[in-house]
Amino acid sequence: MPLDGRAVGVTLHTADMTVREILRYARDAEGLGYHGFSLTEESGKEAFALLALLAEHTERITLMTGIVSFLSRTPMLLAMGTRTIWDLSGGRFRLGIGTGGVGFVEQGHGLDIERPTERARETLEIVRRFLSADRFSYEGTWFHVRNFHLREGRVPGSVPIYLAALGPRMVETAARHFDGLITNWLTPESLADIRSRVARACAGVGRDPAEVSILALEMTAPDPGDDASRDAMRRGCAFYCASRHYLHIAEVSGSADEVGAIRRVWETGDYARAAAMVSDGLLERFTLTGSPEVCRRRLEWLIGEGIYPIIYPVPRRDRLVADHLTAIERVAGYLS
């Protein structure tokens, strides 16, 4: 296997490709030796239905929601989806949840993101009970389960459940309660910040910080030597600069001024100018972009730190499928 047994995952936005193209992407990732395949969910394809198909047409690769919003489904529905994909895949499933992007949660679902850390914890507790218990009751702030259970019974194993965590409170919630956290834009400074918060949170509940896995999205340009490919990365990076969820990472990484300037321009609706403001330095600091040697060093740093990288191709619009396939092949080559 080109990846030499090292655990690295891949992901994509499910609206970007057809079902058959996504199936090909997952199979290619499996053939290249990738450990995991993650599906995010916004306003495109529904994640669990697609994962059911992937479970039937792959053999080894781990499948994960990376992520689905815990605001858009009840804990029981999340548990049902988990049990379904776990059974179809022979135990190759991991559940990743989070609040989800502000735009599609508030504008699309029409929901308020209210007290997300508390709701994440409550959701986790109920999902775990559905997966591991017989009948149970639960009285929470949002949900009230009354003497209920899943018809198919307990999952014959333990399903890892991860929380998307960018800000301090979400990181601490993940450290106290979840099997791990999923982050983005990882830098040495933001990793140090995450680890210090994980250590403090774990100490408060008597947990070993080593039990908390850190998974990191790695946005990557499929063809870093091509201007159009780098421009696609600039726009993708500018989009995240505009999200309030990334302010803390930018601040602790020493990039608050540059990110803030890009955010202000993005909010005017001048997306092209905001993207053009993303420097090469910012791309290489926050994403898997640059020369093969720069990318190789970043991947080796992540793996050496015990991080689980999730390769996240940012494609050119006219090379949508080819860029996804090229990106994962290129990254596999860095680690061969």
Side-chain angles (χ1 to χ4, degrees):
M1 293 181 182
L3 288 173
D4 196 26
R6 285 173 283 193
V8 180
V10 301
T11 191
L12 80 163
H13 280 280
T14 58
D16 289 345
M17 293 193 282
T18 69
V19 170
R20 290 191 179 278
E21 290 165 348
I22 293 170
L23 179 56
R24 178 188 174 188
Y25 181 47
R27 284 172 163 171
D28 278 13
E30 185 171 64
L32 286 166
Y34 282 92
H35 172 271
F37 190 86
S38 303
L39 287 181
T40 188
E41 183 182 78
E42 292 185 351
S43 57
K45 297 171 182 64
E46 196 276 333
F48 285 95
L50 190 50
L51 285 167
L53 178 68
L54 297 178
E56 290 287 288
H57 290 276
T58 56
E59 297 178 358
R60 177 195 54 79
I61 201 163
T62 297
L63 303 173
M64 185 172 81
T65 54
I67 60 164
V68 295
S69 173
F70 57 71
L71 300 171
S72 66
R73 289 175 173 84
T74 65
M76 181 177 167
L77 193 56
L78 286 169
M80 290 166 61
T82 296
R83 178 60 198 260
T84 299
I85 308 304
W86 178 273
D87 288 347
L88 284 172
S89 66
R92 292 184 286 127
F93 181 67
R94 309 290 183 265
L95 179 65
I97 60 174
T99 57
V102 175
F104 78 89
V105 169
E106 294 184 347
Q107 296 173 238
H109 288 289
L111 299 171
D112 293 328
I113 300 178
E114 179 185 5
R115 296 166 61 188
T117 55
E118 291 87 349
R119 184 151 178 169
R121 178 188 53 78
E122 187 169 311
T123 297
L124 173 73
E125 290 174 355
I126 298 171
V127 169
R128 279 186 171 156
R129 292 288 295 277
F130 272 125
L131 296 176
S132 63
D134 294 323
R135 290 186 178 272
F136 73 98
S137 296
Y138 183 97
E139 285 298 318
T141 301
W142 289 274
F143 304 104
H144 311 279
V145 181
R146 299 181 181 89
N147 190 32
F148 212 77
H149 69 118
L150 294 187
R151 293 178 66 89
E152 293 173 299
R154 303 180 183 190
V155 168
S158 178
V159 182
I161 305 178
Y162 307 117
L163 179 67
L166 299 171
R169 293 190 64 197
M170 276 299 200
V171 169
E172 291 160 8
T173 298
R176 293 189 190 99
H177 306 289
F178 285 74
D179 294 290
L181 61 94
I182 305 170
T183 189
N184 195 0
W185 278 16
L186 202 62
T187 65
E189 297 85 358
S190 65
L191 178 57
D193 182 70
I194 287 170
R195 284 195 163 140
S196 67
R197 294 180 187 280
V198 166
R200 287 196 298 272
C202 285
V205 295
R207 186 181 189 189
D208 183 353
E211 296 176 5
V212 183
S213 299
I214 301 175
L215 295 74
L217 295 176
E218 285 295 303
M219 299 168 64
T220 186
D223 186 358
D226 177 76
D227 289 343
S229 185
R230 291 182 75 88
D231 286 347
M233 278 294 294
R234 292 184 207 284
R235 187 177 176 96
C237 196
F239 172 81
Y240 286 110
C241 288
S243 170
R244 64 176 184 253
H245 293 311
Y246 285 80
L247 294 178
H248 178 74
I249 294 173
E251 183 175 351
V252 299
S253 299
S255 300
D257 289 345
E258 185 174 0
V259 169
I262 294 166
R263 183 187 185 194
R264 288 189 291 274
V265 172
W266 185 278
E267 288 175 344
T268 69
D270 192 346
Y271 306 133
R273 187 160 73 91
M277 292 171 65
V278 177
S279 67
D280 287 346
L282 194 71
L283 284 181
E284 292 188 10
R285 186 159 183 73
F286 288 132
T287 72
L288 189 65
T289 305
S291 69
E293 186 54 37
V294 166
C295 292
R296 186 177 294 110
R297 285 200 304 267
R298 180 173 175 85
L299 286 167
E300 294 289 0
W301 168 68
L302 290 164
I303 293 168
E305 290 287 346
I307 308 303
Y308 183 100
I310 302 175
I311 306 308
Y312 172 13
V314 180
R316 292 161 288 191
R317 276 328 206 170
D318 60 343
R319 295 179 55 85
L320 189 62
V321 178
D323 273 0
H324 279 85
L325 301 178
T326 297
I328 61 172
E329 185 173 356
R330 184 185 298 274
V331 172
Y334 295 152
L335 295 173
S336 61

